[in-house]
Amino acid sequence: MLATFMYGPGDVRVEETADPKILQPTDAIVKIVLSCICGSDLHAYHGGGIRSGVSAMGHEFLGLVEETGANVQTLKKGDLVVAPFVWADNTCDFCREGLHTSCRHGGVWGAGDVGGAQAEAVRVPLADGTLVKLPVGVDSELLPDLLTLSDVFCTGYHAAFKGRVGEDTTVTVIGDGAVGLSAVLSAKLLGASRIILMGRHEARTDLGLEFGATDVVPERGEEGIARVKDLTGGDGTHVVIEAVGFPEAFDQAFGVVRPGGTVSRVGVPQYQDANVGMASMFFPNITLTGGVAPARAYIERLMPKILDGTIHPGRVFDRTISLAEVPDGYKAMDDRTALKVLVRP
């Protein structure tokens, strides 16, 4: 079968590799119907992150169950399923607490003997706990929306949920990438009264306005902070969602948060040190939250909103490619000529 591998910074290849096989009785083999390229994949594309050597790429997918191990009880061949971006048993104490990213028996796609999702098929460990059946057919027009439950929409929702966004909350979202736009949509879904989107790419911020943003601030740094303060009577907003991952965005978040407010950070941090001292965080009573999203905990909560047409988070996909074109998809996202690339193997 064909699968995607990263050999080093900027070096993405689609190559023939062995078909996945059942290795454990709790495994399933899934034929991938849709996958995509994540903004976090670009960190590896630039040489960052924790990857070393040749890496199997892709962690967002939905597809059809082709085969199940002897102990798989809730799935059968032909089921259409979506997978969160980590696999987990859904039964350990951390999973029961909604923290599937810390599952005692789980892991990540593209590590060890588990392949990546930018491929034709993948072995899914702990299939009963990991995979969620979708109540639609393989020809449903909702599939791109449902694919966002694998990561990007759940990550945006996690940011808003951990920030405790509600009807009396004002929100600033820093970053107009797919996660930032998903955070805008999530803040709107949770009832935020005002949502300021900080981004400078007009096509993306236009989508942000359609998703529920009330204001767009294209300025960055001190100029951007001043603009948000001006829009909020000098106070800043109750919640700031940092969806970029660079230190400049982190500093900007603390510049626009209201005293007593919350910074919710879901952009994958590309730094180790940050300003969390007396003036920025301690004295104004700022809460720092966020982190990697336990998507499995949110899938069944958010899916009904997609199925009934309340939201369409799949609008973040603005380009569709074949598996063979994945290297071009990385380049397009890196060049910012594509927001988020959908892959149809």
Side-chain angles (χ1 to χ4, degrees):
M1 71 166 189
L2 290 175
T4 303
F5 299 92
M6 184 173 293
Y7 280 77
D11 186 1
V12 177
R13 310 178 197 178
V14 178
E15 300 178 332
E16 285 285 347
T17 192
D19 292 341
K21 299 184 183 301
I22 298 288
L23 299 181
Q24 301 293 333
T26 51
D27 289 348
I29 304 301
V30 173
K31 179 182 179 183
I32 294 173
V33 173
L34 288 180
S35 64
C36 56
I37 301 172
C38 182
S40 65
D41 291 334
L42 295 183
H43 294 313
Y45 191 72
H46 296 148
I50 59 174
R51 296 178 183 273
S52 61
V54 178
S55 300
M57 299 302 294
H59 55 260
E60 302 163 272
F61 69 94
L62 59 78
L64 292 166
V65 175
E66 282 200 325
E67 185 181 356
T68 58
N71 291 353
V72 175
Q73 299 180 359
T74 63
L75 302 163
K76 64 182 185 303
K77 183 175 181 178
D79 284 343
L80 184 65
V81 293
V82 64
F85 65 90
V86 301
W87 46 271
D89 60 21
N90 203 32
T91 59
C92 79
D93 54 338
F94 283 116
C95 287
R96 292 195 305 272
E97 293 168 11
L99 198 63
H100 297 74
T101 46
S102 294
C103 176
R104 295 189 184 278
H105 310 108
V108 298
W109 308 106
D113 56 9
V114 180
Q118 291 163 12
E120 292 183 299
V122 67
R123 179 175 75 88
V124 179
L126 303 176
D128 281 326
T130 300
L131 298 173
V132 179
K133 286 195 282 190
L134 298 173
V136 298
V138 72
D139 58 348
S140 172
E141 63 182 13
L142 295 178
L143 292 195
D145 294 313
L146 293 166
L147 175 61
T148 66
L149 296 173
S150 185
D151 181 351
V152 64
F153 181 45
C154 287
T155 295
Y157 183 84
H158 179 64
F161 179 75
K162 291 290 285 184
R164 291 190 268 185
V165 172
E167 293 181 0
D168 298 324
T169 308
T170 55
V171 180
T172 298
V173 176
I174 299 175
D176 57 11
V179 170
L181 295 176
S182 295
V184 169
L185 184 60
S186 298
K188 178 67 174 179
L189 188 64
L190 291 171
S193 59
R194 187 172 199 178
I195 305 169
I196 300 170
L197 174 59
M198 301 191 79
R200 60 197 308 179
H201 303 90
E202 188 173 352
R204 301 180 180 193
T205 56
D206 284 350
L207 180 56
L209 290 168
E210 294 181 41
F211 273 0
T214 54
D215 306 89
V216 171
V217 172
E219 296 88 354
R220 294 181 177 179
E222 292 301 321
E223 189 178 359
I225 291 170
R227 178 65 178 142
V228 173
K229 290 289 189 71
D230 182 60
L231 288 170
T232 57
D235 290 336
T237 56
H238 298 93
V239 180
V240 180
I241 294 172
E242 194 276 277
V244 178
F246 292 119
E248 297 83 0
F250 183 87
D251 290 341
Q252 189 164 290
F254 278 89
V256 299
V257 67
R258 176 187 173 103
T262 299
V263 172
S264 187
R265 180 181 65 160
V266 291
V268 179
Q270 301 304 296
Y271 54 90
Q272 295 296 324
D273 299 317
N275 181 10
V276 293
M278 180 73 171
S280 64
M281 186 174 177
F282 186 78
F283 188 78
N285 281 285
I286 305 303
T287 297
L288 177 61
T289 187
V292 62
R296 181 65 181 82
Y298 300 128
I299 289 175
E300 285 148 323
R301 182 186 309 183
L302 297 174
M303 189 188 303
K305 299 294 185 181
I306 293 174
L307 296 175
D308 69 12
T310 300
I311 53 174
H312 290 286
R315 294 181 65 193
V316 297
F317 297 111
D318 60 347
R319 184 172 302 188
T320 301
I321 61 174
S322 68
L323 189 56
E325 297 172 307
V326 164
D328 294 332
Y330 274 80
K331 187 175 187 305
M333 285 181 60
D334 189 44
D335 292 343
R336 295 184 181 271
T337 57
L339 169 58
K340 189 168 178 68
V341 173
L342 187 69
V343 181
R344 293 185 182 272

